[in-house]
Every structure is written in structure tokens, then in C-alpha cells.
Amino acid sequence: MPKAYTGVYKRPSYTRWQLRIKVPSDLVSQYSSEWAYRVSLDTSDLREANSCHNVA
């Protein structure tokens, strides 16, 4: 099985992969969440999610 690229994550009990980019620690106070960017990659296939990662 392939390894998920950095930022590609599947939440427990979900079937879809997400791309998540964390807020740098020195800017956390300026965001409402610890995630600067989070979007569904609309796939349950890790290989496809990894290839979407390169485009997103």
C-alpha cells in the first residue's frame, strides 16, 4: 500500500481523503483554526489522493 503524502489525511471513520495545511506556529493567533487550508480530495483511493495533492 502506498504512503500518504505530506498533508494528505483520512479522518477516522471517514472514507474520503483530505488535503490539510497547518498554520505556521507564529501565525496561529491570526486564524480561527489550526488549519490554514483544508479541502476534500473527493476520493477514497490513496493513489488518486496523492496525485491530487500535486495539483491542489
Side-chain angles (χ1 to χ4, degrees), residues 24-56:
S25 59
D26 58 332
L27 298 175
V28 168
S29 64
Q30 298 186 22
Y31 285 81
S32 61
S33 169
E34 66 180 303
W35 303 107
Y37 186 70
R38 182 171 47 190
V39 65
S40 173
L41 295 174
D42 291 326
T43 183
S44 57
D45 180 42
L46 179 55
R47 286 189 177 109
E48 190 176 339
N50 283 336
S51 81
C52 290
H53 170 271
N54 294 328
V55 175

